[in-house]
Amino acid sequence: MSSTSISEKAAAKAGSEAAIPEQSGLLEQPKAVWAVFFASIIAFMGLGLVDPILPAIAEQLKATQSQVTLLFTSYNAVMAVAMLITGAVSSRLGIKWTLLSGIIVIAVFSGLGGASNSIWALVGLRAGWGLGNALFVATALAAIVSLSKSSSAQAIILYEAAVGLGISVGPLLGGWLGAMSWRGPFFGVATLMVVAFIGLSVLMPKAKAGSSAPAKKISLIDPFRALRHRSLFVLGLAAALYNFGFFTLLAYAPFVMGLKEHGLGLVFLGWGILLAITSVFMAPKLQQRFGTVKSMCAMLTLFALLLVAMGVWTSTQWVVIVAVILAGALLGNNNTLITTAVMNATSVQRSTASAAYSFLRFIGGAIAPYLAGKLAEIYNPHVPFITGAVFVLISVLVIAVNYPHLKHVDHAEAGH
């Protein structure tokens, strides 16, 4: 995603070392690293935080399912566009002030979201949250790498752990606070972001030590130029297609499970835990044994089959619940695999290539939630999952057809 999956841009700044765990000294980090680590967990809570409260928001704000899914659409649409400017912003402000700016924006818009009284106001404020999240997550790993005492590979693992914790804890916190009021998760994130702001302000060193702003300023047009590279364009297109399945599961599945806030929080907690474990520990092993591209195709095919099962047995609660949780393992593997592929896809400056890839990727994440809600309203609850599965299978075909343009990814990985 994954989550996701959002770490590509920041990971790109860390270099092209293989993301194979090296455990020695991983936890021996300066306080500044742990401050960024904590803030990263909170930032990634935003991805799944609203999952457990989607039905409650629909009921209390008298909104349709498709209107509520716009909370994901506006968030991802702004993230897509913002990914094109974060490189230019961070190359001028430096990492510390880019992170702090993102935190401020998240805190303000999540707090205002909790105080809103209409679905349209909430959708608009969620878009502002997406802007803040883009500024933060696009530079968080670069901060961890520049401040860490460990190797870049270890720093990447540490960051992926923060991503996984955030994605896991987000739905749990959302379910707990959401059981009291749907506004609770929004106010909770705003409060935690204030704590994160104080921590980063105090613990991160001045720009000379904490910033990794490049000597050359990044142009706004550079990401579009990067898409001329066939391998990068193919990976971005495949990710956009695969995100139709990812966000159908994330944004629409809560409506068909028939669970309250606590139950939804626990289901997506299980999803997030599997996502975190596989992205850090299992994906590197798949990479080594089968290769990045082949492993990616296998994970996406299995994910499509899970979506088909959800589409066929939509009214069978336990099938949907089990499928959602198991999907976490497949998505966690795929997030790390596709991150690795992007890092090794082209000789273009990695931060620029990652911005271009993320732009395409989040376009899929913006369209998919609303499409799922509308398909359910027009047809029936089965159709969104089947449609998501079709898009995921098309992403596999796109990768397979363009394999000659991607096979160098594994050679680049083997060279590290």
Side-chain angles (χ1 to χ4, degrees):
M1 13 111 200
S2 197
S3 129
T4 207
S5 246
I6 306 172
S7 63
E8 288 88 353
K9 178 169 175 74
K13 294 178 183 278
S16 56
E17 290 186 49
I20 300 173
E22 301 172 53
Q23 299 301 324
S24 60
L26 181 64
L27 301 180
E28 299 172 7
Q29 304 292 347
K31 291 180 180 178
V33 171
W34 294 116
V36 178
F37 180 84
F38 172 73
S40 298
I41 292 174
I42 301 169
F44 278 97
M45 284 181 184
L47 186 64
L49 187 83
V50 298
D51 273 333
I53 56 174
L54 290 177
I57 291 174
E59 180 182 348
Q60 294 182 35
L61 295 185
K62 296 180 171 43
T64 65
Q65 291 181 1
S66 61
Q67 288 172 340
V68 172
T69 58
L70 286 172
L71 293 175
F72 283 95
T73 292
S74 62
Y75 180 83
N76 285 322
V78 172
M79 284 271 286
V81 176
M83 283 297 175
L84 297 174
I85 66 168
T86 49
V89 171
S90 63
S91 70
R92 288 160 175 80
L93 292 181
I95 283 181
K96 179 174 181 178
W97 284 106
T98 305
L99 289 175
L100 292 176
S101 298
I103 286 175
I104 291 171
V105 174
I106 293 172
V108 169
F109 281 96
S110 60
L112 290 173
S116 64
N117 291 307
S118 78
I119 186 62
W120 298 115
L122 198 57
V123 167
L125 292 166
R126 178 79 167 159
W129 187 342
L131 173 61
N133 223 47
L135 289 170
F136 181 88
V137 304
T139 47
L141 179 55
I144 288 180
V145 170
S146 65
L147 295 166
S148 174
K149 292 180 179 179
S150 306
S151 67
S152 293
Q154 286 180 311
I156 291 171
I157 294 299
L158 192 63
Y159 181 76
E160 290 293 342
V163 173
L165 284 170
I167 290 176
S168 303
V169 175
L172 186 65
L173 180 65
W176 179 61
L177 294 175
M180 295 181 274
S181 168
W182 69 263
R183 302 177 190 274
F186 291 90
F187 289 134
V189 165
T191 302
L192 288 171
M193 274 299 171
V194 171
V195 176
F197 180 87
I198 295 171
L200 285 179
S201 299
V202 173
L203 296 175
M204 273 195 80
K206 302 267 184 202
K208 64 177 184 178
S211 172
S212 62
K216 179 185 175 184
K217 299 291 190 290
I218 297 174
S219 166
L220 292 175
I221 202 171
D222 285 347
F224 293 103
R225 289 178 178 146
L227 289 176
R228 295 174 184 171
H229 292 260
R230 180 77 169 267
S231 57
L232 186 62
F233 179 77
V234 167
L235 289 171
L237 178 60
L241 292 166
Y242 135 71
N243 264 357
F244 275 84
F246 183 102
F247 281 98
T248 294
L249 181 142
L250 206 60
Y252 181 68
F255 290 107
V256 301
M257 280 191 271
L259 298 172
K260 293 294 186 181
E261 291 84 356
H262 282 307
L264 288 172
L266 289 172
V267 170
F268 280 99
L269 172 66
W271 170 83
I273 288 173
L274 283 183
L275 187 146
I277 291 172
T278 54
S279 65
V280 174
F281 299 108
M282 186 175 175
K285 294 181 180 179
L286 290 174
Q287 245 171 268
Q288 285 182 302
R289 183 162 184 180
F290 302 107
T292 303
V293 179
K294 290 180 181 177
S295 298
M296 200 189 320
C297 288
M299 292 300 106
L300 290 174
T301 302
L302 291 173
F303 179 44
L305 292 176
L306 269 184
L307 287 171
V308 169
M310 293 173 72
V312 173
W313 291 286
T314 308
S315 56
T316 306
Q317 186 186 52
W318 72 267
V319 172
V320 177
I321 290 173
V322 170
V324 167
I325 294 172
L326 290 179
L330 304 177
L331 296 172
N333 279 317
N334 190 67
N335 286 348
T336 296
L337 292 166
I338 203 164
T339 298
T340 302
V342 170
M343 289 172 71
N344 295 314
T346 176
S347 59
V348 172
Q349 184 180 354
R350 296 186 187 281
S351 59
T352 301
S354 187
Y357 160 78
S358 296
F359 169 68
L360 290 178
R361 172 175 170 246
F362 283 110
I363 286 176
I367 298 171
Y370 184 69
L371 177 65
K374 289 305 289 184
L375 287 173
E377 289 171 7
I378 296 172
Y379 300 103
N380 58 63
H382 304 266
V383 175
F385 298 112
I386 300 297
T387 304
V390 170
F391 275 105
V392 174
L393 285 175
I394 294 174
S395 76
V396 177
L397 289 176
V398 167
I399 294 171
V401 168
N402 289 279
Y403 181 71
H405 302 281
L406 298 175
K407 60 184 180 181
H408 68 280
V409 167
D410 286 314
H411 299 311
E413 183 68 19
H416 293 303

